[in-house]
Amino acid sequence: MTAWPVDQPSPLWMALSRERFEAPELRGDIEADVVVIGGGISGLATALELARRGRKVVLLEAVKIGYGASGRANGQVISALTRHGPAAIRTLWPGERGERFIALVQGAADTLFTLVETYGIDCDARRNGWLQPAHSKGRARRVAGLAEQWAAAGAPAAALSAREMEARLGAGGYHGGWEHRGGGHINPYAFTLGLARAAVQEGVSIFEESPALRVERDGDTWLIETPQDRIRAPKLALATAAHTGNLWPSLRRSIVPVTSYQAATEPLGELAERILPGDEAASDTRMDLRYFRKDRDGRLVSGAALAVQLGAATRLPALVARRLREMFPALPHKPMAFFWRGRIAMTVDRLPHLHRREDGLCAWIGCNGRGLALACAMGPVLADAIDGVPDDQLAVRPTEPPPVPLHAITSRIARLILPWYRFKDSREI
Ligand SMILES: Cc1cc2nc3c(=O)[nH]c(=O)nc-3n(C[C@H](O)[C@H](O)[C@H](O)COP(=O)(O)OP(=O)(O)OC[C@H]3O[C@@H](n4cnc5c(N)ncnc54)[C@H](O)[C@@H]3O)c2cc1C
């Protein structure tokens, strides 16, 4: 099994993964058509697509494949954004631009599950749907409207009554909500390793423990320096998400990296059959989101954020256990069996952004916590950007990285907004 840095609790998904992947460190100076930096789903989906188009692609991962958010996620496959539905997207970008983007989001889960099938990725993929329970009556009305919009855009989406939601969750307390039957869940770490295997199968050269330390333009090419060696390539794609450092400082300043914690129970035996009996994934409408899904052995896997990080390893599992027991009182009074954390790239407008510079440097960033399916769909878009597809034909229009106001301060204190979110959630009717 791939080694995980000792300072990081490893995600449950590593222990469950039957997919294996190992790649060497970069040794020797090499040349490529494109270098992709970042061995998460975004980088791998981009590299895979470029290799399928006949490009010579090298992918560099600083640590190990799946080390970033891709290996640590909750694993929910969601074909919808956190804030914007089709109507909001059309208001932002009327006409062809908005329609292309809606189609991209709508098809994102299809893209992910097609990759699973095409490359036989062994990641416990379940496509039984994704549920969004509404925590207030107002939210139930709003998400019923959202379901209607997505259904009109071609998605298998429908509103659910409070009683229907109760039956689907195996828990009461919600006011209804909606379902997207195209969604589901995966072991995200196994999926990421399988995607790396697929990328190599298509001809991508992957190097692990090979951080890009410096990139600079040298005539017509990029020179990418790793601790040992160098690569030359005319095109360079950054897929470094919340781990973005200073390779492109304005890209780093365009996001706020937020820590999200995960926790999982022991296998629940017969009780697991009464929780999410249809084996969907669920994330509710709260701003301080509550979400959960089962793994293949009947563990309940959930997570949360914390305003104060101190003592997270004990406080967070206790918080998650309490919230889960509020919903499922039959859960045993046992400590959570697994705990880990990851970092999410948030943008101010909660939209994914595509960036392209004239010197051949491209990037996409801003999963906003719903990036597993989106990253699969954005891979080909980033590949299009690299390949010189004109701006108006790209599914996401490239922009300059928009700076987060007071970035240094905002990045440090962003999580302090959590108590305000909790207050607002509790006041909604
Ligand atoms: C705890 C958690 C739960 C989540 N749950 C869900 C969920 O249920 N559903 C969902 O849709 N989304 C979820 N997300 C979001 C989802 O995981 C991400 O959107 C997605 O994995 C992003 O993939 P990525 O490839 O863009 O980034 P990452 O997977 O973070 O990959 C970036 C990679 O770049 C590498 N890197 C950085 N700098 C360099 C460098 N200089 N040189 C070489 N390599 C470098 C890093 O090591 C890292 O491996 C969750 C995220 C977290 C953290």
Side-chain angles (χ1 to χ4, degrees):
M1 186 187 295
T2 311
W4 200 261
V6 284
D7 63 326
Q8 295 272 335
S10 60
L12 162 71
W13 310 122
M14 278 186 97
L16 297 185
S17 177
R18 288 174 297 253
E19 286 280 353
R20 298 281 182 266
F21 183 82
E22 294 278 351
E25 283 175 46
L26 178 71
R27 296 276 174 196
D29 288 0
I30 52 175
E31 291 191 4
D33 296 329
V34 187
V35 170
V36 176
I37 300 179
I41 298 171
S42 297
L44 292 163
T46 306
L48 174 75
E49 178 65 21
L50 286 164
R52 275 172 170 174
R53 297 180 190 179
R55 309 282 176 272
K56 185 178 178 202
V57 187
V58 168
L59 183 143
L60 296 177
E61 165 52 45
V63 190
K64 291 282 181 185
I65 293 296
Y67 170 76
S70 300
R72 302 159 185 260
N74 191 255
Q76 306 205 3
V77 179
I78 309 169
S79 252
L81 301 173
T82 43
R83 190 179 284 176
H84 298 77
I89 294 169
R90 288 189 182 106
T91 305
L92 271 178
W93 304 312
E96 189 61 20
R97 181 175 177 186
E99 297 311 318
R100 276 186 209 275
F101 184 59
I102 290 167
L104 174 108
V105 176
Q106 208 302 84
D110 288 342
T111 310
L112 183 151
F113 286 114
T114 302
L115 285 165
V116 170
E117 235 175 78
T118 307
Y119 294 102
I121 300 177
D122 189 1
C123 62
D124 298 313
R126 298 278 181 281
R127 199 170 192 186
N128 294 347
W130 174 76
L131 305 170
Q132 190 173 35
H135 73 285
S136 71
K137 284 189 179 139
R139 288 280 172 171
R141 278 193 299 277
R142 272 157 68 179
V143 295
L146 199 59
E148 229 172 77
Q149 290 172 32
W150 279 117
L160 297 177
S161 68
R163 192 184 293 185
E164 286 167 330
M165 189 57 86
E166 182 168 351
R168 302 290 284 277
L169 297 175
Y174 283 104
H175 297 265
W178 71 294
E179 66 169 334
H180 190 306
R181 288 185 298 279
H185 57 79
I186 53 171
N187 172 333
Y189 179 73
F191 175 74
T192 310
L193 296 197
L195 203 56
R197 175 175 56 70
V200 170
Q201 193 178 316
E202 296 288 354
V204 177
S205 303
I206 298 183
F207 298 99
E208 293 182 306
E209 296 179 272
S210 302
L213 299 179
R214 228 159 66 87
V215 299
E216 68 178 14
R217 198 71 183 158
D218 180 24
D220 285 347
T221 57
W222 283 97
L223 203 55
I224 298 108
E225 278 182 26
T226 69
Q228 277 82 24
D229 285 294
R230 304 195 301 184
I231 316 179
R232 278 183 179 277
K235 299 283 177 73
L236 179 57
L238 290 189
T240 45
H243 299 264
T244 298
N246 264 336
L247 297 179
W248 185 357
S250 39
L251 185 69
R252 183 179 59 75
R253 288 194 295 266
S254 73
I255 56 137
V256 174
V258 170
T259 300
S260 172
Y261 298 93
Q262 300 291 291
T265 64
E266 294 285 10
L268 296 174
E270 278 184 3
L271 176 59
E273 287 163 33
R274 284 181 275 139
I275 295 175
L276 289 166
D279 206 9
E280 301 93 335
S283 320
D284 79 7
T285 49
R286 287 180 172 87
M287 295 171 82
D288 180 21
L289 196 64
R290 299 190 185 186
Y291 54 95
F292 46 93
R293 41 84 43 110
K294 291 185 293 191
D295 75 357
R296 66 162 187 247
D297 300 325
R299 297 176 184 86
L300 203 49
V301 190
S302 183
L306 288 174
V308 177
Q309 319 288 304
L310 200 70
T314 44
R315 286 170 47 236
L316 188 282
L319 171 72
V320 171
R322 181 164 51 74
R323 286 182 173 178
L324 288 176
R325 261 197 303 276
E326 275 167 28
M327 289 191 67
F328 308 107
L331 278 175
H333 282 259
K334 281 189 182 166
M336 302 297 280
F338 287 85
F339 164 76
W340 68 98
R341 64 170 74 90
R343 282 160 78 194
I344 296 175
M346 304 294 290
T347 51
V348 171
D349 60 10
R350 298 287 189 275
L351 286 164
H353 296 171
L354 180 72
H355 309 298
R356 168 161 63 184
R357 289 189 350 199
E358 288 197 347
D359 57 13
L361 177 54
C362 295
W364 96 263
I365 204 156
C367 77
N368 293 292
R370 282 202 193 161
L372 296 178
L374 189 65
C376 294
M378 286 300 292
V381 180
L382 192 50
D384 283 348
I386 288 279
D387 269 350
V389 171
D391 283 9
D392 62 355
Q393 285 168 36
L394 289 166
V396 180
R397 198 67 67 84
T399 54
E400 289 289 312
V404 171
L406 303 169
H407 183 263
I409 299 169
T410 311
S411 302
R412 283 203 182 86
I413 64 167
R415 58 181 186 266
L416 298 180
I417 201 164
L418 212 57
W420 169 243
Y421 282 175
R422 286 179 188 149
F423 174 72
K424 284 197 45 158
D425 287 339
S426 70
R427 298 298 295 259
E428 268 189 39
I429 46 170

